[in-house]
Amino acid sequence: MTEEQLDKLSIFQLRELARKMGVDSPTSKRKGELITQILDISNGNSSPHFAKSKQGRPPKDTGLNFVDI
């Protein structure tokens, strides 16, 4: 995905995508920070972070299929 495509998504959609990509603490980040970290992980510039436990609130169901994007 490009930066322009990510910028068109809502903050909730970006957070869900960030969770799947492995961004650490996506709910505490701004939209620009999320976009930067998603792009860094997808380009291989940084490594994804995956929590060892299932703590925290589950993400809202947006009904989006990120495979199509």
Side-chain angles (χ1 to χ4, degrees):
M1 293 187 81
T2 64
E3 187 173 353
E4 292 81 24
Q5 290 172 326
L6 290 173
D7 194 41
K8 291 180 184 177
L9 297 176
S10 72
I11 188 70
F12 302 109
Q13 294 167 334
L14 275 176
R15 286 178 181 158
E16 183 177 348
L17 179 60
R19 284 184 191 98
K20 291 179 182 181
M21 294 286 295
V23 174
D24 188 29
S25 302
T27 55
S28 64
K29 295 184 176 29
R30 294 183 178 158
K31 190 172 184 175
E33 293 173 310
L34 287 173
I35 291 171
T36 302
Q37 290 191 0
I38 289 170
L39 290 174
D40 283 346
I41 290 173
S42 66
N43 292 334
N45 297 336
S46 64
S47 60
H49 172 268
F50 292 105
K52 296 177 183 165
S53 68
K54 287 290 198 176
Q55 286 183 320
R57 182 182 177 122
K60 295 179 182 178
D61 183 24
T62 60
L64 290 176
N65 186 3
F66 288 108
V67 175
D68 295 335
I69 295 178

